[in-house]
Amino acid sequence: MKKNTSVIPEPVRDLLVQAARWAARNAYCPHSHYAVGAAVLMTDGQIYTGCNVENASYGLTLCAERVAISKAISHGNRAFAALAVVGGTPKKPAFPCGACRQVMVEFMNSESPVYIAPLKSGKPVSTTVGALLPCAFQK
Ligand code: THU
């Protein structure tokens, strides 16, 4: 059962975006030169971060969001409260890919906040998992 939806205070949101920006510094992206960072906030306050990890066999690339989510899961923590992703420019920030949206649906609520911000600086756009993937496939 997925639960734990909450309102995230603005300073916490900003901290999460900042954590994602720090994680993006570790992006392994020699093929695209497109760094992405992600951070997930858990209901206990814990933050897990991720970056994209590319491969010469392009399809093996791991997206930043799925790295962050997998880190939380592999630490035994599934109580997601929010996710931030940073990438791209203020004009064209990195919206999560379709695969990552489906993975968010797996572990987060449709009301869970998702913050999308440019890589370097700038305010995040606020949306939700449900808005990013309406009518999602669910068993
Ligand atoms: N990427 C992510 O990390 N997350 C997304 O949601 C979209 C794309 C990465 C994958 C690849 O390393 C680079 O961005 C360019 O597609």
Side-chain angles (χ1 to χ4, degrees):
M1 174 69 84
K2 290 184 268 185
K3 47 181 189 305
N4 297 316
T5 302
S6 61
V7 174
I8 310 297
E10 228 174 81
V12 177
R13 178 203 69 183
D14 292 346
L15 194 74
L16 196 63
V17 169
Q18 198 56 36
R21 287 198 171 115
W22 272 101
R25 292 160 62 98
N26 294 325
Y28 177 72
C29 54
H31 305 292
S32 73
H33 303 288
Y34 190 92
V36 181
V40 286
L41 175 70
M42 315 306 290
T43 57
D44 63 3
Q46 181 75 43
I47 287 175
Y48 297 95
T49 59
C51 62
N52 52 335
V53 184
E54 296 187 342
N55 192 277
S57 179
Y58 299 160
L60 299 182
T61 291
L62 305 173
C63 287
E65 300 92 314
R66 278 179 284 158
V67 170
I69 290 169
S70 300
K71 278 167 75 175
I73 299 294
S74 63
H75 277 81
N77 198 339
R78 297 180 186 173
F80 293 91
L83 181 148
V85 57
V86 302
T89 61
K91 273 198 172 160
K92 202 174 179 188
F95 275 68
C97 78
C100 288
R101 294 179 195 206
Q102 186 70 44
V103 172
M104 289 176 206
V105 166
E106 183 76 19
F107 295 110
M108 302 172 77
N109 296 304
S110 62
E111 305 79 24
S112 299
V114 178
Y115 307 116
I116 298 159
L119 181 64
K120 295 218 160 80
S121 64
K123 281 223 159 201
V125 169
S126 263
T127 184
T128 63
V129 170
L132 285 171
L133 191 59
C135 309
F137 170 73
Q138 274 179 308
K139 275 203 294 178

